[in-house]
Amino acid sequence: MTAHQKNFIAGEWVDGTGITRDINPSNTGDVVGEYAKADKAQTEKAIAAAKAAFPAWARSTPQERFDALTRISVEILARKEELGRLLAREEGKTLPEGIGEVARAGQIFAFFAGEALRLMGEKGASVRPGLDVEITREPVGVVGMITPWNFPIAIPAWKIAPALCYGNAVVFKPAELVPGSAHALSEIIARSGIPAGVFNLVVGSGSVVGQTLLDHPDVAAISFTGSVQTGRKIAQACVLSNPMKKFQLEMGGKNPLVVLDDADVKVAVEVAVNGAYFSTGQRCTASSRLIVTAGIHDRFVAAMTERMKGLSVDDALKSGVHVGPVVDQSQLDQDLRYIKIGQDEGARLHWGGELLNRETPGFYLQPALFTEATNQMRIAREEIFGPVACVIRAKDYEEALAISNDTEFGLASGICTTSLKYASHYKRNSEAGMVMVNLPTAGVDYHVPFGGRKGSSYGAREQGAYAREFYTTVKTAYTFPG
Ligand SMILES: NC(=O)C1=CN([C@@H]2O[C@H](COP(=O)(O)OP(=O)(O)OC[C@H]3O[C@@H](n4cnc5c(N)ncnc54)[C@H](OP(=O)(O)O)[C@@H]3O)[C@@H](O)[C@H]2O)C=CC1
Ligand SMILES: O=C(O)CCC(=O)C(=O)O
């Protein structure tokens, strides 16, 4: 077993007060690594280091920030196979999915390297004679990042890259389940030339490290992705802290995919299988409600079942595998609990849903498809976060749209149709932050905004140039030249 990896605080690699073990969900006998766990005092040190380093970094030139972010991007992209393997081994995504996610992280850093050069202010005339008005953007300060396990490198990248780009200092708390990718990313950032203290890694639990970030007055902002339950706690803590913190929350989804009578069945099945089951369904953008109109329903379900029979569910690192394991025992228990709930509610478990034995001990679950579900059932209303989807029959487009919007979430939505009229209508009327036509609800570009409505998201959008809303604060300056 490898020696344990350390946290990065004030430019030094430091030991923690405990150890967390990173377990491979494809083979629970395989320990990916051991990582130092920080406590409250160490988290406070990281915050103090970030606070001390912030003023100089805030005044660094766009060229310095461009250079550092470019170096990070270049190294991530050069090592995408190796890092993708680490990611697949610790999280259970398939190897191509892992490599794809790492590449996306590298591209995100490249994008924000360019953004450092593009940040401009505005200058205008005052409504009062002889005065000038300038509007500029300044960094927010120390930003705490609390990230989930399902995208161990892309989500940290899309928070850390814009934070550094706009001159903020960072304290990064990854999910305890996936410290390996977070540590590898932190090593790359540590050698990028960014001054000591500007970036800090503190691995540890949400209740200790996360809570310390929330409680500390020197943390100016929190960027969070994870469950709705934790998101609510974070919102309350940020509002009650003194001074109040800026915060953004990216939370759950119960994303609908509408399949209309006029859809190309082959396209619809590919879109649905990808959206519902790839990355083991562990995406907040996953399509877990398949809303299918009556005229295509039976053909769609039959073709979907055939396609699902051909999915290979196995060790994430094996070639040719389509669906890797569930991330851990607790998530697997949640998936199985919901499969039972669906059956008890009267939905029909049409295909899959059983535990699978493979060569190595892992959390293998056959992707599950429910039919005869209604939108009132818990399996259609609550986020399961696993390879479980349900088909809901709709009589026509209007009913499908109404069901699609009848949810407390609003992250992503999709429609499969060959009709321009319905595609356009759906894009305008779907109550989601991201709408896809003939494409899976999951899988997005890195240079455009990401986020949702209703219970899915709170605060400014992430990714693309829109990220500057969260990571900068606006200043309005008036000058009377005399
Ligand atoms: N929408 C999304 O993108 C995601 C949704 N989920 C949903 O959440 C469920 C549970 O997953 P899980 O990873 O446990 O999600 P959580 O919301 O519990 O965790 C997300 C992050 O928040 C941290 N955290 C937990 N509690 C606190 C707290 N009190 N204060 C500060 N930080 C905290 C976690 O730390 P740590 O875990 O290290 O203790 C982790 O880094 C999933 O089954 C799924 O339904 C999960 C991941 C992503
Ligand atoms: O769909 C994607 O590519 C991103 C999804 C995501 O960020 C998430 O599931 O947490």
Side-chain angles (χ1 to χ4, degrees):
M1 189 182 303
T2 53
H4 71 259
Q5 307 288 349
K6 300 181 179 180
N7 284 313
F8 190 62
I9 299 174
E12 306 280 338
W13 291 100
V14 294
D15 240 323
T17 53
I19 296 283
T20 185
R21 289 181 126 199
D22 193 359
I23 304 294
N24 177 352
S26 299
N27 177 4
T28 53
D30 174 31
V31 180
V32 179
E34 291 191 332
Y35 295 83
K37 272 179 82 161
D39 63 3
K40 184 170 191 279
Q42 286 180 317
T43 310
E44 285 170 346
K45 270 194 190 155
I47 296 167
K51 185 185 178 193
F54 169 66
W57 182 245
R59 280 170 183 68
S60 61
T61 63
Q63 187 65 49
E64 284 170 283
R65 283 179 254 145
F66 172 88
D67 290 343
L69 292 176
T70 301
R71 279 193 285 270
I72 297 167
S73 164
V74 167
E75 183 170 347
I76 294 172
L77 290 172
R79 294 174 56 199
K80 68 178 187 210
E81 269 87 17
E82 171 212 341
L83 296 175
R85 177 167 285 273
L86 169 65
L87 196 161
R89 191 170 154 217
E90 75 170 350
E91 198 267 349
K93 279 195 171 91
T94 64
L95 188 54
E97 286 171 339
I99 294 170
E101 184 182 332
V102 172
R104 179 164 157 190
Q107 286 151 347
I108 288 167
F109 274 96
F111 176 84
F112 283 105
E115 283 300 282
L117 302 176
R118 282 189 284 269
L119 187 66
M120 297 287 162
E122 295 170 66
K123 187 169 180 183
S126 168
V127 293
R128 290 173 281 166
L131 270 68
D132 285 335
V133 188
E134 288 161 90
I135 304 160
T136 51
R137 285 180 183 269
E138 296 182 357
V140 170
V142 176
V143 185
M145 270 144 211
I146 302 178
T147 58
W149 48 261
N150 64 329
F151 279 81
I153 198 165
I155 291 179
W158 79 53
K159 295 182 191 299
I160 295 167
L164 296 176
C165 157
Y166 299 120
N168 299 280
V170 170
V171 181
F172 168 36
K173 190 218 101 58
E176 228 187 317
L177 216 46
V178 288
S181 302
H183 191 273
L185 174 63
S186 300
E187 279 185 329
I188 294 172
I189 297 173
R191 27 172 193 270
S192 68
I194 283 174
V198 170
F199 172 80
N200 303 272
L201 167 73
V202 272
V203 173
S205 72
S207 56
V208 176
V209 174
Q211 196 62 45
T212 306
L213 289 171
L214 297 177
D215 292 341
H216 205 292
D218 291 336
V219 175
I222 296 282
S223 181
F224 167 81
T225 302
S227 64
V228 175
Q229 206 185 1
T230 309
R232 279 190 194 285
K233 283 190 203 155
I234 285 176
Q236 278 169 356
C238 288
V239 169
L240 294 178
S241 76
N242 190 11
M244 288 185 199
K245 297 186 199 319
K246 192 172 184 180
F247 60 98
Q248 68 180 173
L249 311 172
E250 210 49 74
M251 300 170 288
K254 198 69 203 173
N255 308 295
L257 175 71
V258 169
V259 178
L260 293 188
D261 285 357
D262 66 14
D264 178 323
V265 177
K266 253 177 121 176
V267 169
V269 165
E270 283 315 304
V271 164
V273 165
N274 178 323
Y277 305 123
F278 287 3
S279 300
T280 323
Q282 297 172 155
R283 297 187 281 192
C284 55
T285 47
S287 333
S288 47
R289 292 187 297 143
L290 310 174
I291 303 162
V292 184
T293 50
I296 197 172
H297 179 277
D298 294 355
R299 270 185 300 140
F300 172 79
V301 169
M304 183 87 183
T305 314
E306 279 315 300
R307 180 71 175 86
M308 289 176 74
K309 286 179 184 167
L311 290 177
S312 152
V313 183
D314 208 329
D315 187 325
L317 295 176
K318 276 193 182 165
S319 72
V321 169
H322 302 109
V323 178
V326 171
V327 73
D328 72 352
Q329 186 66 52
S330 136
Q331 185 61 53
L332 182 63
D333 290 345
Q334 174 160 310
D335 298 345
L336 293 171
R337 200 164 56 244
Y338 272 102
I339 289 171
K340 169 89 172 48
I341 288 171
Q343 288 170 302
D344 291 348
E345 285 177 312
R348 177 164 169 238
L349 182 56
H350 185 82
W351 169 257
E354 61 278 355
L355 289 173
L356 300 172
N357 285 318
R358 293 294 178 255
E359 271 169 44
T360 48
F363 307 111
Y364 298 109
L365 179 63
Q366 183 76 59
L369 183 70
F370 278 100
T371 54
E372 311 307 327
T374 73
N375 202 44
Q376 303 320 313
M377 292 177 175
R378 284 183 65 192
I379 55 164
R381 302 208 79 82
E382 297 170 20
E383 185 175 54
I384 302 172
F385 222 63
V388 183
C390 61
V391 177
I392 302 168
R393 196 189 293 258
K395 75 173 184 294
D396 53 20
Y397 168 73
E398 283 70 27
E399 190 179 63
L401 174 65
I403 295 170
S404 171
N405 286 336
D406 178 14
T407 167
E408 69 186 63
F409 295 107
L411 187 57
S413 68
I415 188 165
C416 290
T417 178
T418 50
S419 152
L420 180 60
K421 178 180 141 196
Y422 288 130
S424 304
H425 191 273
Y426 190 75
K427 278 190 282 181
R428 276 199 295 270
N429 292 285
S430 173
E431 294 167 4
M434 296 173 290
V435 186
M436 317 289 177
V437 177
N438 295 322
L439 286 167
T441 53
V444 296
D445 284 3
Y446 62 84
H447 68 307
V448 289
F450 176 94
R453 300 182 184 180
K454 301 199 266 186
S456 289
S457 304
Y458 184 90
R461 285 282 190 269
E462 299 199 85
Q463 301 198 61
Y466 283 66
R468 72 175 56 151
E469 289 307 325
F470 184 72
Y471 292 101
T472 63
T473 180
V474 168
K475 179 177 275 177
T476 311
Y478 297 87
T479 309
F480 176 53

